[in-house]
Every structure is written in structure tokens, then in C-alpha cells.
Amino acid sequence: DVKKIYKKENLKYLSHWGTEPTLTLPRFKKFYEDVIDYFPNFRNIMISSNFMTSPTVLANFIKQFNKNRKIYFVIQLSLDGPPWICDRNRVKGSTKKIVSNFFRFLELIKDEDFHNVQLNAKSTISDWAIKLLADREKFIEYFNFYDEIVEKASEITKDNKNVNSFQICSPTLAVPMDYTKEDGLNYAKIVGYQFEFEHYFKHVEPTNIYLERLKRLKLEKDSYIRNP
């Protein structure tokens, strides 16, 4: 019972991770009705979905919230990249199904006129995929794949300012994993490409929170050198 864990004014954000959230979302209707009724500052829900199940479940979940309070949804598309990564990570044909369901979801919510929906994308890669992405052409192909998804997503939702597409879609690393020195060197190449192609693509930015931290450290270092 979240009422026993959080003070009435403290709960502002809840997220659904782990087991595919769309399998259980219909069971949370009464839960969220109680949360909104009890916690006056609650306004944010994050859901990470692999979109392998019916997109109607997720769309209906968003639509069930009344308009007494604006809710900010973050919907994360769990997609590991083009078929040569995602199909190998998951199951053959998964990439096509995930992308198709994602676009269908957008069609279902494109007329949402009250709540806000921010779209994110997250991929997970391991040693073999790092080796692939260390190749410059594969790196470009990887991000072009996401760029094309954002292009179509933006077209579907172009008339709705409440639905915002993602820009950052850089991969995160699978853990635990026995990464080697070679993996580290290959990953360093990927980071180098992220700097090199930062403004190369039309929609997406090949960056991540770790790269942003590196940039801040570099700026701090440069500033210290100039003003010790």
C-alpha cells in the first residue's frame, strides 16, 4: 500500500519496469484511481514496453485517466536496434512486430487532447553487438533505423503537441556480462562516433547520459586549465 510508504504530498511519480507492463496494466485501474484521489501532487507515470503485445492495452490505459488532473506519461520503446541486433537479442521477426505495434499505438493515441505523452527509446546490447557497432557503417545504419522510426512517428502525431517523439536512442550495455579489453576498445570507438555524428541525423541524437557526463567533465577540465 503506497499510502503507508509515502507521505500524502510526496508521491509524484511511478514507473512500470521488469515483466512486460502491458500484461498487468488492466489490473492497475483501481490502484491509480486511489493514488490520484489520495496524492495531490502525483502527475507522472513511466512505462517501458517491448510492444510485443497488443498496443491497445497501453492506449486504453492512458485514455482511462479522467481530465481532472493532467498526467505526464513517459512511454519507453524497448527496441534493441535493426533486425540484425533486435531479432538476435529477442526472437526472429520481433523487430518488425515491435515497430508495427508502436506505430499502431501512436495511431490510437494521436488524438489525445489532455494528457501529455513523451516517447523514449531504449536499446540493450552486449559484446557481439558492440563489435558490430564499432564499424562506422553499421553505426550509421543503426541510427538511421531509429531516425526513420521517428520520422514516421512524428508524421502520425504531427497535429498533436501533447505527444512528443524521442531524440536520444543510444544503446545501454547488458549486465552482468564478462566484457573484455577488446569490448572496451570497441565501445570507445562507438563513443567516438557519438561525438562525431552528434548532429548528423535528422531527428535522433546518438548520445546518452554517460556521454553527457563526459562532456561536462571535459568542459570542467578545460575551464580549470584556463582558470586554475
Side-chain angles (χ1 to χ4, degrees):
D1 188 346
V2 291
K3 295 178 184 178
K4 297 179 181 179
I5 301 173
Y6 296 97
K7 292 181 179 179
K8 190 168 184 176
E9 67 277 7
N10 285 357
L11 185 63
K12 301 176 181 179
Y13 182 101
L14 285 171
S15 60
H16 293 254
W17 290 80
T19 301
E20 172 55 34
T22 57
L23 297 176
T24 57
L25 276 181
R27 302 182 183 182
F28 280 86
K29 186 175 187 299
K30 180 64 166 60
F31 170 82
Y32 276 109
E33 288 174 352
D34 292 343
V35 165
I36 289 175
D37 182 61
Y38 185 79
F39 296 99
N41 297 319
F42 179 80
R43 281 177 173 78
N44 300 277
I45 300 173
M46 186 274 182
I47 299 172
S48 180
S49 175
N50 59 24
F51 282 88
M52 288 289 284
T53 57
S54 172
T56 304
V57 174
L58 188 52
N60 287 345
F61 175 77
I62 293 173
K63 292 178 179 180
Q64 77 180 0
F65 287 82
N66 62 43
K67 297 182 179 180
N68 294 333
R69 183 186 306 174
K70 191 177 185 72
I71 302 296
Y72 295 85
F73 294 92
V74 175
I75 306 300
Q76 181 166 278
L77 168 66
S78 185
L79 175 65
D80 298 328
W84 42 271
I85 289 182
C86 192
D87 279 18
R88 180 172 170 181
N89 261 2
R90 300 175 189 245
V91 65
K92 185 176 181 180
S94 61
T95 309
K96 183 178 180 180
K97 183 174 183 179
I98 291 169
V99 173
S100 175
N101 281 342
F102 178 65
F103 290 146
R104 176 58 183 152
F105 166 71
L106 296 181
E107 291 285 355
L108 292 169
I109 66 161
K110 68 179 182 181
D111 296 323
E112 174 56 51
D113 60 356
F114 186 75
H115 301 298
N116 184 272
V117 181
Q118 172 63 55
L119 305 171
N120 286 347
K122 179 180 178 295
S123 69
T124 303
I125 62 172
S126 55
D127 48 1
W128 60 268
I130 292 173
K131 188 174 182 179
L132 289 176
L133 292 176
D135 178 87
R136 182 186 300 267
E137 295 305 314
K138 282 294 185 182
F139 178 91
I140 294 173
E141 183 182 343
Y142 173 91
F143 282 100
N144 274 332
F145 169 76
Y146 285 102
D147 221 38
E148 290 170 4
I149 291 175
V150 177
E151 177 80 23
K152 184 170 181 178
S154 299
E155 178 63 25
I156 293 172
T157 61
K158 65 181 180 181
D159 296 325
N160 190 344
K161 294 181 179 180
N162 287 334
V163 182
N164 302 292
S165 197
F166 58 86
Q167 288 182 294
I168 297 176
C169 54
S170 287
T172 54
L173 299 182
V175 290
M177 180 71 64
D178 293 327
Y179 292 108
T180 65
K181 178 182 178 180
E182 181 184 2
D183 296 329
L185 292 172
N186 282 329
Y187 193 75
K189 289 183 180 180
I190 295 173
V191 172
Y193 296 153
Q194 288 177 315
F195 277 104
E196 180 181 350
F197 294 100
E198 183 176 8
H199 304 295
Y200 178 84
F201 303 96
K202 182 177 180 181
H203 299 286
V204 299
E205 298 176 7
T207 187
N208 56 51
I209 59 172
Y210 308 110
L211 192 60
E212 293 304 316
R213 290 171 184 170
L214 282 174
K215 290 179 183 177
R216 287 200 298 270
L217 286 173
K218 184 179 185 304
L219 288 173
E220 291 171 3
K221 180 182 177 182
D222 292 345
S223 176
Y224 178 78
I225 291 173
R226 290 192 300 269
N227 305 287

